């Protein structure tokens, strides 16, 4: 197994040479990467054949490692085909790369979310105008962004360390860039250090800031990377975890975990918690506005599939850009400028399938994190998140129930735990969930 795993790492390094950017991070020996970089340019067809050879060499035993490597190699096969110039349809690419099927969301669910927002956001005028006014009030002045970022990073670092766990010596540095097709991006620097770049040109909101930091840093991508790096070389280490590949099942699970990170390590009330963190750092915030901001973000999360719709319209149905923009504006209640920025991300060749990792990853992970936990004990949910970070299950594994938890002595449910966790645990058998 280790021989196959090490060959998979070399394959990933070579794939990045023919599809630059597909390798999110390499946590292994830099000399290995240097040797691959010094090789002649690889032939994508040779890489496709290598994926087949490695899959055939996997041990027959049905283990988590076998499943992980097999799923990753299936995705690598598709990536090699695309690098060779083969046309792979958008829906087929998603299914073969991520192991999930995608389809348009349900407008009735979007309308339900709109009704919930209409009840939350007061004021005159139609809902899009009221929501825009709400977002304007929530806007963080650009001059406060560096201080606010550092305050939220430090606070979430403390929460993550006490709940999920962090290795000694890990560190996040912050960068603010003027323009990018994303709001934030985590770049691995090595030795348990990451640089988180934040797009300062989009005008960040107070309520959205902790969601962004949790996703990119604590307990999101940086936390996953440095936990894996800290165990590299240990007897239990797995060579295949030395690489993080975009456009693979690994990416879908990692993005889903990062999206849920804030709710796991802080829980319900994170809006007020964030406002108090910022106020203590000297950032002007409206504490009374904080709880409403959290409520609005919780409802907006139900509209996440709209972005998947837009990707399908653009790449599978080949709809005109103007029609995609109109769909985003109608259901996400955003202005044209914001909709066109979303379109820029969706149209980018590197990111065109990436929206699926957010939508599909959350849809699979939410119920799995709380399976069988009718009172959602905090330590069991954070323990499962730590397991996902250290030993990510495949999408196929996430479709089956979580293993029975090793329960501590029975105690009453902890006040302030995330309401979506409670709802999922109690009601998931009554009706299937569709975000």
């Amino acid at each position: 197994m280790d021989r196959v795993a090490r060959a998979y790492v070399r394959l990933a390094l070579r794939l990045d040479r023919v599809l630059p950017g597909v390798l999110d991070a390499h946590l292994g020996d830099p000399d290995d990467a240097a040797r691959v970089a010094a090789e002649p340019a690889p032939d994508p067809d040779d890489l496709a054949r290598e994926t087949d050879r490695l899959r055939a060499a996997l041990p027959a035993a049905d283990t988590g490692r076998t499943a992980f490597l097999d799923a990753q190699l299936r995705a690598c096969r598709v990536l090699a085909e695309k690098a060779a110039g083969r046309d792979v349809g958008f829906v087929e690419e998603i299914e073969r790369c991520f192991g999930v099927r995608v389809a348009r969301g349900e407008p009735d669910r979007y309308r339900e979310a709109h009704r919930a927002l209409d009840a939350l956001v007061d004021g005159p005028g139609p809902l899009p105008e009221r929501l825009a006014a709400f977002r304007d009030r929530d806007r963080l002045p650009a001059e406060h962004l560096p201080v606010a970022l550092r305050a939220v990073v430090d606070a979430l670092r403390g929460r993550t360390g006490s709940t999920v766990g962090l290795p000694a010596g890990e560190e996040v540095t912050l960068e603010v860039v003027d323009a990018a097709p994303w709001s934030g991006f985590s770049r691995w620097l090595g030795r348990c250090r990451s640089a988180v770049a934040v797009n300062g040109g989009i005008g960040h909101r107070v309520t959205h800031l902790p969601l962004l930091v949790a996703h990119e840093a604590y307990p999101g991508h940086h936390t996953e990377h440095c936990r894996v790096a800290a165990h590299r070389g240990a007897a239990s280490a797995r060579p295949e975890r030395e690489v993080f590949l975009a456009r693979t099942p690994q990416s879908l699970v990692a993005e889903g975990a990062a999206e849920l990170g804030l709710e796991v390590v802080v829980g319900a009330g994170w809006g007020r918690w964030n406002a108090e963190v910022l106020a203590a750092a000297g950032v002007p915030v409206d504490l009374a506005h904080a709880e409403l901001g959290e409520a609005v973000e919780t409802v907006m999360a139900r509209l996440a599939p709209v972005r998947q719709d837009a990707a399908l319209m653009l790449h599978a149905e080949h709809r005109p850009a103007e029609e995609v923009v109109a769909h985003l504006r109608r259901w996400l209640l955003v202005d044209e400028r914001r909709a066109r920025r979303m379109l820029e991300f969706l149209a980018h060749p590197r990111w065109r399938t990436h929206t699926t990792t957010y939508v599909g990853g959350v849809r699979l992970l939410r119920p799995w994190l709380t399976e069988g936990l009718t009172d959602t004990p905090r330590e069991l949910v954070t323990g499962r998140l730590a397991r996902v970070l250290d030993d990510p299950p495949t999408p196929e594994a996430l479709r089956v129930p979580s293993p029975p938890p090793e329960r501590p002595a029975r105690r009453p449910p902890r006040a302030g735990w995330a309401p979506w966790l409670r709802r999922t645990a109690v009601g998931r058998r009554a009706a299937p969930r569709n975000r």
Side-chain angles (χ1 to χ4, degrees):
M1 180 71 82
D2 282 352
R3 285 194 296 272
V4 174
R6 285 190 286 270
Y8 159 74
V9 171
R10 292 190 294 272
L11 172 69
L13 293 170
R14 290 173 181 131
L15 265 177
D16 193 57
R17 295 191 62 192
V18 297
L19 280 178
V22 74
L23 182 68
D24 273 345
H26 175 232
L27 279 56
D29 188 338
D31 290 342
D32 293 341
R35 280 191 287 271
V36 170
E39 295 174 350
D43 182 334
D45 288 326
D46 289 341
L47 298 181
R49 286 188 285 270
E50 176 71 354
T51 65
D52 296 339
R53 186 188 71 78
L54 293 178
R55 287 187 69 196
L58 283 169
D62 184 15
T63 67
R65 287 189 74 187
T66 301
F68 176 85
L69 278 165
D70 189 58
Q72 291 297 111
L73 287 167
R74 286 201 307 268
C76 288
R77 189 23 149 125
V78 182
L79 297 176
E81 290 176 17
K82 288 181 66 67
R86 293 185 179 85
D87 183 27
V88 180
F90 182 71
V91 174
E92 178 191 352
E93 180 181 352
I94 287 174
E95 184 170 1
R96 291 177 64 195
C97 282
F98 298 127
V100 297
R101 292 189 177 186
V102 294
R104 289 273 207 116
E106 300 175 23
D108 284 346
R109 291 184 180 270
Y110 302 160
R111 293 186 184 97
E112 289 174 9
H114 285 192
R115 286 191 288 270
L117 288 169
D118 189 59
L120 283 172
V121 184
D122 295 330
L127 179 58
E129 293 179 9
R130 283 182 279 142
L131 193 59
F134 167 82
R135 287 170 171 150
D136 285 341
R137 293 194 302 273
D138 196 37
R139 198 73 60 193
L140 180 71
E143 64 269 22
H144 293 292
L145 180 59
V147 172
L149 275 172
R150 176 46 60 189
V152 176
V153 164
D154 290 345
L156 279 173
R157 181 176 185 268
R159 284 279 185 152
T160 301
S162 64
T163 56
V164 177
L166 291 166
E170 57 78 29
E171 181 184 6
V172 164
T173 58
L174 295 168
E175 304 171 356
V176 177
V177 300
D178 293 331
W182 33 257
S183 57
F185 188 83
S186 179
R187 186 176 76 257
W188 178 250
L189 302 177
R191 297 184 180 179
C192 287
R193 296 178 300 115
S194 296
V196 172
V198 174
N199 183 357
I202 65 174
H204 288 276
R205 291 183 291 109
V206 168
T207 307
H208 186 256
L209 204 61
L211 293 164
L212 174 65
V213 171
H215 186 107
E216 302 298 341
Y218 302 108
H221 298 317
H222 164 74
T223 300
E224 179 177 16
H225 291 173
C226 66
R227 282 174 66 96
V228 172
H231 289 93
R232 198 174 74 83
S236 60
R238 298 178 176 182
E240 64 270 24
R241 296 286 282 136
E242 293 180 0
V243 289
F244 285 75
L245 279 177
R247 297 153 72 175
T248 67
Q250 178 188 35
S251 176
L252 180 131
V253 174
E255 297 292 354
E259 286 285 279
L260 297 173
L262 181 65
E263 302 236 23
V264 171
V265 300
V266 178
W270 59 261
R272 177 84 181 190
W273 172 87
N274 171 63
E276 291 173 350
V277 166
L278 294 179
V283 178
V285 292
D286 183 354
L287 293 178
H289 187 81
E291 293 178 5
L292 176 60
E294 177 182 347
V296 169
E297 288 294 336
T298 300
V299 176
M300 289 300 300
R302 290 153 54 183
L303 294 172
V306 173
R307 293 176 294 165
Q308 179 71 78
D309 295 348
L312 285 165
M313 292 172 68
L314 191 65
H315 299 296
E317 302 169 14
H318 307 292
R319 301 291 185 90
E322 296 303 319
E323 190 174 338
V324 178
V325 168
H327 184 84
L328 290 168
R329 293 192 64 185
R330 177 185 182 185
W331 295 117
L332 289 181
L333 306 169
V334 295
D335 60 22
E336 183 170 354
R337 181 171 175 268
R338 174 63 176 150
R340 291 195 180 279
R341 192 160 60 241
M342 293 179 182
L343 180 66
E344 179 186 356
F345 181 83
L346 293 169
H348 195 288
R350 178 177 174 183
W351 304 111
R352 72 176 203 150
T353 62
H354 201 63
T355 293
T356 297
T357 64
Y358 305 131
V359 179
V362 168
R363 184 177 288 143
L364 286 173
L365 271 174
R366 275 187 187 240
W368 190 90
L369 283 171
T370 56
E371 176 71 34
L373 307 181
T374 55
D375 55 0
T376 57
R378 184 187 184 100
E379 60 270 26
L380 293 178
V381 178
T382 54
R384 283 183 178 173
L385 178 64
R387 173 181 168 185
V388 169
L389 300 180
D390 296 342
D391 186 15
T394 63
E396 290 82 359
L398 289 173
R399 294 189 184 96
V400 301
S402 303
E406 296 181 6
R407 286 182 168 275
R410 186 167 180 80
R411 64 188 69 183
R414 298 194 180 198
W417 188 239
W420 65 259
L421 290 174
R422 202 171 293 120
R423 286 198 304 273
T424 301
V426 174
R428 73 183 301 271
R429 290 184 177 85
R433 295 183 62 81
N434 181 351
R435 296 187 71 243

